[in-house]
Amino acid sequence: MKPTPLLAAIALLSTTSHAKTWLLPIPQSVEWTGYQLQLDPDFHIEGASNLYVHEAAQRYHKLITKERWIPYQKNITEITPLKNRQDTLKTLQISVEDAHAKLDFGINEAYNLTIPDSGGKATLDAATWVGALRGLETFSQLIIEDEGTLVAHSSKIQDEPTYPHRGIMLDTSRNFYSVESILRTLDAMSYNKLNVFHWHITDSQSWPLHLEMHPELAQKGAYSPSQIYTTADMRRIVQHAQSRGIRVIPEIDMPSHTASIAESHPHLVACVNKDWEVYGAEPAPGALDPTKNETYALIEDIVSELADIFPDSFFHAGGDEVNSHCWADDETIGPYMKEHGLTTDQLWAQFEDKVGSIVEQNHKRAMIWEDAIVVAKADLSKNVAVQVWTTTPENIIKLGHDIIHSSSDYFYLDCGGGGWVQNDQRYISPDQKATPGDTFNYGGTGGSWCAPYKTWQRIYSFDMTKGIKKQSGHGQVLGGEVALWSEQSDETVLDAKLWPRSSAAAEIFWSGSYDKSGKRRVLSEVWPRMNDWRFRLLKRGIGAIPIVPQWCLSAGTSCLI
Ligand SMILES: *[C@@H]1O[C@H](CO)[C@@H](O)[C@H](O)[C@H]1NC(C)=O
Ligand SMILES: *[C@@H]1O[C@H](CO)[C@@H](O)[C@H](O)[C@H]1NC(C)=O
Ligand SMILES: *[C@@H]1O[C@H](CO)[C@@H](O)[C@H](O)[C@H]1NC(C)=O
């Protein structure tokens, strides 16, 4: 229904206390015009340049009309009332420079989005089809319901990610996740402009990965026949991710964290079934035998099969937590080490070098955990990207490796869940302990090695640039990842563990820890956006957990210190 000229004139003059829309992650540059426009009943999106943009345009059109987002926080002092315009927004015109760019590390995700205050046509100009997807997400966040009608908040946005690698790591070995729960996670990632699904597929506890070349690995190593990812499952996940502009990087953790391989290849894994407190970081210990050619033949088969299923140019080869007794106490590896005068670290470094070559032969760039470099002092190709979880990032950068931030002090989403080793007496009531009255750790970590729980505020306060000197070539910060280790998680708690905490990470990965003027991003700016975003994720079917009592949403700034 078109407003009559008289009504339109009144609408033009009236200022109303409409809610402001909230954007997350915040674009690099946003200019608000102060107007909002009704979305035309025939509103449509034009200019889809390839199949993925076409599908995304349809998806977002449906989302916008279904979501009808009414912002929760209406009484925040910074909100300037928006003026209504009689004009409606009729189209969003997309134009893409490169519609066929390969989705891979460093793909250009920049876009400009303009919703003019005169209505008519909004424009989304993107460098690539992935940039168009990012712009469509932002466009959806600019649409809200106001007094029963959908309105678009007029603005001029210029945006691009600060870091090319923005990920979530999910461990599907300690506990299994259905394909559906992974697909839902990919959707949630796309709402947050996260673009890397780092899939820690296997570990010591189970091998849920079917391989055509080695079906025995999953047959013997999975928890059950229904807890196995088939080749079709993996292709479905890769395809779904691709359509959302998300890369999938598979990880096979090795040489440690491989007891599940012993189920089918017992002669290739050392220290299985030994006392985990001596031989591993947790039950169940086990490390591949680095002295056997057969070990490398198996690794070659695994890497080459996965290289075909996962088109991304990165492959994660694990490489963390080799135990100093596991190999040395083995009845064949121990004597081998003595004969060749090798320490565990030296043997480990050799292993990493060989695995690095296998990854390279399969035309992939290796990514590994920091341990091989920090602990084993492996001198690896500078092309190897290093995921940092405990060390000072600049130590790795100095060596000329690119890094991915995953500090366990900020980005480990499993922390603070308490101990899970079931008869652990150390964290229970002092009067129940073997030595009554012993208060060891009673008020401490509660058995979580990386306690406390990482709140969204803590995640947000990580400085992506701290101690990093700008230099050319390798030795760059590629980005960051939050990590969900799954000893105490499976799909029943997946959304709650990930959201909205991963949104806090998503913003510092996309928008950076500092804005364009060099000002540090701070909690006092982001909190109303986080509060709103939690509910918006909920409306989009993601079980994001509450971060404040609902009371705070209408209490203005009363919930701030
Ligand atoms: C966005 O606009 C700026 C300024 O006009 C321009 O330099 C840039 O190339 C544009 N980016 C895209 C992706 O169109
Ligand atoms: C293992 O491979 C190396 C290098 O290819 C070779 O020199 C060695 O003879 C092989 N050992 C066995 C037992 O096959
Ligand atoms: C908004 O909050 C302030 C205090 O923060 C309060 O004085 C005012 O009445 C509130 N307005 C509405 C419309 O709720």
Side-chain angles (χ1 to χ4, degrees):
M1 193 184 69
K2 278 230 157 71
T4 65
L6 179 64
L7 284 174
I10 290 166
L12 194 61
L13 292 173
S14 72
T15 57
T16 48
S17 55
H18 300 288
K20 173 184 157 186
T21 192
W22 306 103
L23 303 177
L24 203 145
I26 194 76
Q28 303 293 353
S29 158
V30 189
E31 289 169 34
W32 303 103
T33 67
Y35 288 95
Q36 64 179 19
L37 302 147
Q38 280 193 26
L39 212 61
D40 197 273
D42 292 328
F43 171 79
H44 57 282
I45 303 175
E46 289 175 351
S49 53
N50 75 9
L51 178 68
Y52 296 131
V53 180
H54 178 74
E55 285 176 355
Q58 288 189 328
R59 222 166 40 235
Y60 277 107
H61 191 276
K62 213 166 123 191
L63 179 96
I64 287 163
T65 47
K66 206 179 121 195
E67 184 177 41
R68 304 192 72 88
W69 185 241
I70 300 173
Y72 264 70
Q73 298 168 104
K74 294 172 190 146
N75 190 19
I76 291 174
T77 45
E78 303 96 83
I79 298 177
T80 30
L82 288 166
K83 297 184 238 13
N84 278 318
R85 292 288 297 243
Q86 76 204 78
D87 320 87
T88 65
L89 188 66
K90 293 190 168 59
T91 41
L92 171 65
Q93 178 71 45
I94 304 178
S95 100
V96 175
E97 274 169 49
D98 184 349
H100 304 286
K102 181 181 188 279
L103 173 66
D104 212 327
F105 173 75
I107 190 169
N108 192 336
E109 295 170 275
Y111 69 91
N112 292 338
L113 175 63
T114 303
I115 303 179
D117 60 8
S118 57
K121 183 159 74 179
T123 54
L124 169 56
D125 297 329
T128 66
W129 62 273
V130 178
L133 265 52
R134 305 295 174 243
L136 278 165
E137 171 56 40
T138 302
F139 182 76
S140 76
Q141 295 182 17
L142 290 166
I143 313 290
I144 63 169
E145 182 181 308
D146 185 50
E147 292 173 1
T149 31
L150 285 180
V151 297
H153 284 190
S154 168
S155 51
K156 203 167 157 35
I157 289 174
Q158 216 173 303
D159 201 12
E160 64 182 338
T162 305
Y163 298 97
H165 185 117
R166 308 179 305 279
I168 288 182
M169 189 224 75
L170 183 67
D171 156 20
T172 58
S173 165
R174 271 58 179 262
N175 279 303
F176 185 79
Y177 295 81
S178 66
V179 172
E180 281 65 32
S181 69
I182 293 176
L183 300 184
R184 186 177 71 246
T185 298
L186 293 168
D187 289 347
M189 287 174 67
S190 73
Y191 302 147
N192 290 274
K193 300 189 173 79
L194 289 166
N195 70 349
V196 174
F197 178 59
H198 167 179
W199 188 1
H200 183 95
I201 312 177
T202 62
D203 209 292
S204 254
Q205 288 81 357
S206 81
W207 185 279
L209 166 65
H210 170 78
L211 293 168
E212 295 293 325
M213 278 192 261
H214 291 281
E216 75 283 359
L217 282 166
Q219 275 161 13
K220 300 263 177 65
Y223 284 133
S224 76
S226 62
Q227 290 168 303
I228 293 174
Y229 302 106
T230 65
T231 306
D233 289 339
M234 289 184 269
R235 292 202 190 279
R236 194 169 156 216
I237 287 166
V238 167
Q239 172 58 32
H240 193 88
Q242 163 98 10
S243 71
R244 267 84 178 152
I246 298 170
R247 304 159 51 205
V248 184
I249 299 177
E251 176 186 351
I252 300 299
D253 202 352
M254 54 188 158
S256 207
H257 293 274
T258 48
S260 58
I261 295 180
E263 303 289 335
S264 54
H265 299 261
H267 59 298
L268 294 186
V269 191
C271 76
V272 177
N273 295 328
K274 289 194 176 170
D275 179 357
W276 71 266
E277 289 182 83
V278 179
Y279 290 95
E282 67 180 41
L288 285 170
D289 182 342
T291 69
K292 287 202 176 78
N293 286 0
E294 217 189 316
T295 298
Y296 299 100
L298 178 66
I299 294 170
E300 253 178 73
D301 288 350
I302 295 169
V303 174
S304 71
E305 185 166 335
L306 292 180
D308 175 56
I309 296 169
F310 296 92
D312 199 79
S313 65
F314 278 52
F315 182 92
H316 203 305
D320 60 321
E321 297 187 317
V322 172
N323 176 283
S324 59
H325 305 289
C326 183
W327 287 337
D329 290 358
D330 184 83
E331 55 196 27
T332 63
I333 306 171
Y336 176 97
M337 289 166 70
K338 279 214 186 79
E339 190 192 327
H340 293 83
L342 293 170
T343 63
T344 290
D345 289 348
Q346 288 165 335
L347 191 56
W348 181 5
Q350 285 182 4
F351 176 89
E352 295 301 334
D353 201 45
K354 286 185 189 167
V355 169
S357 305
I358 293 172
V359 172
E360 248 173 56
Q361 279 156 24
N362 282 279
H363 313 289
K364 302 285 181 186
R365 180 174 177 189
M367 183 170 155
I368 56 167
W369 295 102
E370 68 181 39
D371 310 38
I373 289 174
V374 175
V375 183
K377 306 275 183 277
D379 180 19
L380 302 175
S381 154
K382 300 306 175 204
N383 198 39
V384 173
V386 179
Q387 189 161 9
V388 173
W389 62 289
T390 65
T391 197
T392 310
E394 58 205 279
N395 292 343
I396 308 285
I397 297 257
K398 266 197 296 220
L399 297 173
H401 287 282
D402 291 338
I403 65 140
I404 285 105
H405 283 300
S406 277
S407 168
S408 52
D409 281 340
Y410 294 83
F411 296 132
Y412 273 27
L413 303 178
D414 52 309
C415 300
W420 56 271
V421 179
Q422 298 177 25
N423 58 346
D424 194 331
Q425 301 289 304
R426 289 172 297 174
Y427 312 106
I428 61 175
S429 169
D431 57 52
Q432 291 291 305
K433 292 192 187 194
T435 317
D438 174 7
T439 55
F440 173 73
N441 249 329
Y442 179 64
T445 65
S448 168
W449 71 270
C450 55
Y453 178 87
K454 310 308 175 211
T455 61
W456 74 265
Q457 296 98 322
R458 179 158 176 154
I459 292 168
Y460 196 79
S461 71
F462 183 81
D463 186 347
M464 296 288 288
T465 68
K466 193 174 165 212
I468 311 285
K469 287 199 188 69
K470 280 227 161 67
Q471 56 183 33
S472 56
H474 284 330
Q476 307 287 333
V477 177
L478 306 185
E481 287 183 11
V482 289
L484 180 54
W485 300 103
S486 296
E487 285 89 349
Q488 294 171 300
S489 300
D490 67 10
E491 66 188 84
T492 61
V493 296
L494 178 59
D495 288 8
K497 294 270 184 182
L498 291 180
W499 311 106
R501 290 189 292 165
S502 301
S503 305
E507 175 148 307
I508 61 168
F509 299 164
W510 176 280
S511 318
S513 299
Y514 295 79
D515 70 13
K516 276 211 332 226
S517 70
K519 213 170 117 246
R520 185 77 190 270
R521 295 188 193 282
V522 288
L523 297 173
S524 56
E525 190 280 324
V526 67
W527 68 269
R529 293 190 287 108
M530 275 299 284
N531 282 341
D532 192 72
W533 187 234
R534 180 266 164 166
F535 284 96
R536 206 159 183 174
L537 285 174
L538 212 56
K539 187 130 193 214
R540 292 182 182 196
I542 309 301
I545 60 168
I547 54 175
V548 286
Q550 196 177 324
W551 181 83
C552 293
L553 301 171
S554 53
T557 56
S558 312
C559 287
L560 302 183
I561 295 172

